[in-house]
Amino acid sequence: MKVVITGATGNVGTALLRRLADEPDIEVHGISRRPPGDAPPYRGVKWTPIELGRAGAEEPLTVAFENADAVVHLAWLIQPARDERLMYRTNVAGSAQVFSAAADAGVPHLVHMSSVGAYSPGSKDRRVDESWPVNGVPSSFYSRHKAAVEHLLNQFESRVLITRPRPGLILQADAGAEIRDYFLGRLVPKVLFRHRIPILPLPRDLVLQFVHSDDVADALARILRQRPHGAVNLAAEPVVTPRALAEVLGGRHVPLSPHLLRLLANVSWRLRLQPTPPGWVDLALKSPLLDVTRARAELGWEPRFDAEEALHALVRGIGSGEQVPASPVL
């Protein structure tokens, strides 16, 4: 089986490379802006250098996809958040190039990594299945882009079998440095994560679902074998409340109003103290909780790591500065 992976050098991509290394009948080809070195997990992977979103990328993508049994589209930009035009070019226009090239090459199975962020707002007191609307949270560029790509996918449903994994927040120790740089920047030094953080001021409604990168990779491997059609939610238990998050960090949760948190995020963003625009706060507060019944029932998927273990791994990775080796792009 030939599997082509875009974004194979990022958080999920490297976990998927590790997972597929255990599948001797799968030949992996990676698409990346620049080919990485030959260190694990990249060893043995064939690479095609293509920058998604650039004019003319469709033709080399079509060539790279020839004779592929599946394309797994993971490539996605989160930064630079101050240049949404650049991110749109990669995230939305680049995704359209991947989908078009896969259809033109006759690829039978396309797997697009969507997100809980594609969903329309939902209450935190219930869980939603894959039928929940995917119109995003308008104030979040990430959510807008994820929702736009979901709608783009609909145009290709008649030409290729499409699977749409929609995970919660994906964490692993190796992504620690990357996630800190993307979301916290210099405002929160990594040394803080090596020690106890005594107070964590957050809104009570900031309730989140996490899943370990290796468990997402396992779900993707099952998807490649079983080829389900449509969306599949992915998240681990338990749901993480602000109190639980504070306990993982060794401190105490102090309630903060959503309005004040958004104001602080907006001011620090405008002052360039940190790289996260306030739309991320809106997304965290408004995104629904996921029902993962389909993944468990149809894929036989069961996370090896619970949500708090995944969070502990990330905190450890941030504190030690762990990162994916030689990863040039997300």
Side-chain angles (χ1 to χ4, degrees), residues 1-5 20 24-31 46 48 60-72 105 107-109 224-225:
M1 178 189 294
K2 177 182 175 181
V3 176
V4 183
I5 305 171
L20 295 184
D25 63 329
I26 293 182
E27 176 187 342
V28 178
H29 290 242
I31 303 293
K46 298 179 180 179
T48 301
L61 279 170
T62 302
V63 173
F65 293 165
E66 286 181 356
N67 302 314
D69 296 286
V71 168
V72 181
V107 176
H109 188 198
L224 290 170
R225 295 292 188 190

Side-chain angles (χ1 to χ4, degrees), residues 100-113:
S100 180
D104 289 345
V107 176
H109 188 198
L110 172 62
V111 182
H112 165 64
M113 180 56 70

Side-chain angles (χ1 to χ4, degrees), residues 225-246:
R225 295 292 188 190
Q226 301 179 38
R227 300 179 60 185
H229 173 262
V232 183
N233 291 341
L234 302 172
E237 297 294 338
V239 170
V240 177
T241 64
R243 180 176 179 179
L245 182 58

Side-chain angles (χ1 to χ4, degrees), residues 186-215:
R186 59 189 175 90
L187 183 65
V188 182
K190 68 180 181 181
V191 68
L192 284 179
F193 291 87
R194 300 174 191 166
H195 307 285
R196 181 173 165 271
I197 299 178
I199 295 176
L200 187 67
L202 289 175
R204 287 189 176 93
D205 292 338
L206 205 151
V207 177
L208 302 169
Q209 286 175 298
F210 299 122
V211 60
H212 197 283
S213 303
D214 287 344
D215 287 322

Side-chain angles (χ1 to χ4, degrees), residues 4-25:
V4 183
I5 305 171
T6 73
T9 58
N11 178 14
V12 179
T14 52
L16 183 56
L17 293 183
R18 292 194 299 265
R19 176 63 177 81
L20 295 184
D22 296 330
E23 305 287 339
D25 63 329

Side-chain angles (χ1 to χ4, degrees), residues 91-177:
N91 296 344
V92 181
S95 293
Q97 290 174 329
V98 170
F99 305 157
S100 180
D104 289 345
V107 176
H109 188 198
L110 172 62
V111 182
H112 165 64
M113 180 56 70
S114 188
S115 167
V116 63
Y119 282 121
S120 300
S123 171
K124 298 290 188 178
D125 61 3
R126 59 167 291 189
R127 303 201 185 201
V128 304
D129 66 15
E130 290 82 0
S131 65
W132 195 255
V134 283
N135 295 315
V137 174
S139 57
S140 163
F141 77 83
Y142 174 86
S143 186
R144 290 196 304 271
H145 291 181
K146 285 293 186 182
V149 173
E150 285 262 11
H151 291 288
L152 269 176
L153 269 176
N154 295 337
Q155 303 174 22
F156 298 90
E157 287 280 5
S158 63
R159 302 178 64 188
V160 56
L161 172 68
I162 299 173
T163 309
R164 313 174 188 219
R166 293 174 183 157
L169 302 179
I170 306 172
L171 311 179
Q172 65 170 324
D174 284 352

